[in-house]
Amino acid sequence: MAYTTGTTAFNLDLNDIIEEAYERAGIEVRTGYEFRTARRSLNLLTIEWANRGINLWTIQEGAISMVTGQAVYPLPADTIDLLDHVIRQNNGSASNQSDINISRISESTYSTIPNKLINGRPIQVWVNRQTAQSNATSITLSTTLTSTDTTVVLSSTSGLTTTGFIKIDSETIGYTNVSGNSLINCTRGQNGTTAATHTAGAAIYVQNLPCINVWPTPDAGGNYTFVYWRLRRLQDAGNGVNIEDIPFRLIPCLVAGLAFYVAAKRIDAVPERISFLKDEYEQQWLLASQEDREKAPDRFVPRQLFY
């Protein structure tokens, strides 16, 4: 009598994915360069997926404890965008925890708010979708900075935005105002780092972190937590033994897409085969995207305004 395996662990590591893709493209993997260029194409392919729509397996919940008077808060560096968000009061309390809606607004709407530092319960948020890149500058710290200082004196502020984040040693510092060569109203120990003492002459790095800008800024005693559901980036393709950061059901689409990508780079590739591989990739994406969707019914709530 024959038996099934009883296992459901099939997956492909990076070597297998590249080999399968090259076979579909009718190309033989012969050199290390072909492996390297395939890995580069694989990273580009997963970035393309982020532009095609919501990848449900990359949704993560997060929370930011809000601070009285602080308007700007960094998001994890691999954040693509936020899907939903609420203001939670009394976080963790079984008896009186409550989630309150906070509306997302555009940059143009946020920019027209007359007083962005007024205190209250946050009711609006602008999501500033930065690149998360960290750039070196020629700027240095002019005076020693203690772990509690909220003003940072620099050799220059040329090229710095009026609001943003800098990194000194291993600490990320947020600031909301520039005055001369000083950054004022600074928030220390941002982005999961710890406030520390830094000596004069330390190098300054600019961090273009994705962040949220809330209005009004939290008032004292509000016990507010910004709870969000975000889309994160897919992890990079690793070395040959790594599996990819996708569910098993996306493997056929990944292989089909990589086969199209590598064939399109070959001078000797047959145009008809490239067209076939592209059509196959689009078909696999259609199947995958139709399955990777919310199965719950939609619920629409009209917004009513009364004067």
Side-chain angles (χ1 to χ4, degrees):
M1 176 179 286
Y3 296 93
T4 62
T5 62
T7 62
T8 55
F10 173 78
N11 207 327
L12 296 179
D13 61 28
L14 185 60
N15 282 331
D16 290 332
I17 290 172
I18 291 176
E19 185 176 358
E20 177 69 18
Y22 268 86
E23 288 175 351
R24 293 191 183 195
I27 305 169
E28 184 179 353
V29 181
R30 295 180 178 178
T31 67
Y33 175 76
E34 288 169 328
F35 177 89
R36 187 174 66 182
T37 188
R39 183 170 59 181
R40 183 171 64 242
S41 293
L42 196 59
N43 282 323
L44 291 172
L45 178 65
T46 55
I47 293 173
E48 178 204 322
W49 285 9
N51 291 328
R52 282 182 175 249
I54 297 174
N55 302 319
L56 292 185
W57 72 94
T58 65
I59 297 177
Q60 287 185 338
E61 182 179 351
I64 300 173
S65 296
M66 312 202 83
V67 179
T68 301
Q70 182 176 338
V72 184
Y73 300 83
L75 294 166
D78 61 344
T79 299
I80 296 175
D81 200 1
L82 300 188
L83 297 178
D84 293 290
H85 30 66
V86 295
I87 291 295
R88 179 169 294 169
Q89 289 189 273
N90 304 311
N91 187 29
S93 173
S95 59
N96 60 351
Q97 174 180 295
S98 61
D99 288 350
I100 307 169
N101 181 56
I102 179 171
S103 301
R104 182 167 176 170
I105 59 176
S106 66
E107 176 275 331
S108 59
T109 301
Y110 182 77
S111 67
T112 59
I113 297 175
N115 185 353
K116 297 177 178 58
L117 298 180
I118 190 172
N119 288 349
R121 174 175 64 81
I123 59 174
Q124 294 181 321
V125 58
W126 166 46
V127 181
N128 190 353
R129 300 174 62 187
Q130 291 295 307
T131 62
Q133 293 178 340
S134 181
N135 302 316
T137 69
S138 58
I139 303 172
T140 57
L141 187 63
S142 289
T143 60
T144 296
L145 185 68
T146 70
S147 61
T148 58
D149 287 337
T150 58
T151 297
V152 180
V153 183
L154 305 177
S155 60
S156 171
T157 55
S158 177
L160 296 184
T161 58
T162 55
T163 299
F165 298 92
I166 62 169
K167 189 170 185 178
I168 308 177
D169 299 325
S170 59
E171 181 189 357
T172 296
I173 301 173
Y175 65 94
T176 57
N177 294 98
V178 178
S179 177
N181 286 340
S182 297
L183 308 180
I184 59 178
N185 297 330
C186 295
T187 51
R188 305 294 301 276
Q190 298 294 288
N191 201 31
T193 62
T194 302
T197 297
H198 307 283
T199 58
I204 303 298
Y205 293 83
V206 173
Q207 289 192 293
N208 299 315
L209 296 174
C211 59
I212 58 170
N213 296 251
V214 297
W215 184 86
T217 61
D219 57 359
N223 192 17
Y224 303 118
T225 302
F226 184 83
V227 181
Y228 60 86
W229 289 262
R230 72 183 183 109
L231 285 176
R232 63 166 177 83
R233 283 186 58 172
L234 291 177
Q235 296 177 18
D236 300 334
N239 56 36
V241 299
N242 295 117
I243 61 174
E244 297 308 294
D245 182 25
I246 61 172
F248 74 93
R249 63 182 184 274
L250 270 293
I251 293 176
C253 181
L254 187 73
V255 171
L258 183 57
F260 164 60
Y261 269 45
V262 297
K265 295 192 289 186
R266 299 284 295 218
I267 298 177
D268 56 347
V270 179
E272 291 79 9
R273 191 176 191 92
I274 296 177
S275 179
F276 165 76
L277 292 172
K278 185 178 188 302
D279 291 343
E280 175 63 17
Y281 169 44
E282 295 296 341
Q283 175 65 19
Q284 290 295 333
W285 172 260
L286 181 63
L287 293 173
S289 61
Q290 287 178 339
E291 196 285 331
D292 190 60
R293 59 182 174 82
E294 291 281 8
K295 305 301 193 297
D298 290 328
R299 177 173 177 263
F300 298 93
V301 179
R303 175 175 292 180
Q304 298 178 340
L305 298 178
F306 300 94
Y307 298 92

